[in-house]
Amino acid sequence: SGADLSGAQASGTDFTGANLSKAVLKKACLDNAVLVKVDLSGADLSGAQMLGANLSGANLGKAILTNTRLDKAAMADVNLSGADLSGAQASGTDFTGANLSKAVLKKACLDNAVLVKVDLSGADLSGAQMLGANLSGANLGKAILTNTRLDNAVLVDA
């Protein structure tokens, strides 16, 4: 934990179950990496690229993911409680069942993302773009949606 992997090139690497809490992974390339059930709590992944990565069941509580590229990543059941995803790109990402309570997603792009049964309570989605996103059954209690674009989004039972 606390390792500095800034700028690391680790595409396709299998980190399953690793403890990377408080690690620094600024601008790291983790495309298609396997990060299943990895502890990334408090980690700094700002500017990282994680296209198509599998983070299912990972703990990213209070992690910094500002301007991170997460397009088409698998993030089912991920804990992102209190995480900062401001400016993140997560088009087509599957967040099914994830905990994004009190997360900051200001100006994030979540076009066509799957947010089914996601906890977004208290999350700040100011200026986020969620075109065509599926938020069926999502908890949006006390979420901030000021200037959020939800064109063609699905909000059934949200």
Side-chain angles (χ1 to χ4, degrees):
S1 87
D4 189 346
L5 299 166
S6 296
Q9 298 295 313
S11 295
T13 302
D14 188 345
F15 291 95
T16 300
N19 179 2
L20 295 171
S21 63
K22 298 182 181 167
V24 179
L25 293 126
K26 291 181 181 180
K27 297 186 178 179
C29 182
L30 298 163
D31 292 344
N32 300 307
V34 179
L35 296 138
V36 175
K37 296 186 178 175
V38 169
D39 184 357
L40 285 158
S41 57
D44 186 349
L45 292 131
S46 53
Q49 184 167 301
M50 304 170 80
L51 306 179
N54 184 351
L55 291 109
S56 299
N59 180 9
L60 287 110
K62 297 188 178 174
I64 301 166
L65 294 116
T66 53
N67 301 311
T68 298
R69 296 284 313 273
L70 294 160
D71 300 313
K72 294 186 169 45
M75 299 190 72
D77 301 314
V78 167
N79 175 23
L80 283 158
S81 178
D84 187 351
L85 290 101
S86 297
Q89 301 288 315
S91 295
T93 298
D94 183 355
F95 289 97
T96 301
N99 178 0
L100 285 120
S101 61
K102 297 183 181 169
V104 178
L105 294 119
K106 291 181 180 180
K107 297 186 178 177
C109 180
L110 298 161
D111 291 347
N112 300 307
V114 179
L115 295 144
V116 175
K117 296 185 179 173
V118 168
D119 184 358
L120 285 160
S121 59
D124 186 348
L125 293 144
S126 302
Q129 182 170 298
M130 303 173 81
L131 308 181
N134 185 346
L135 291 128
S136 299
N139 178 358
L140 294 165
K142 296 188 179 179
I144 300 167
L145 298 163
T146 307
N147 297 319
T148 299
R149 299 252 344 249
L150 291 161
D151 309 40
N152 299 311
V154 179
L155 293 153
V156 177
D157 296 324

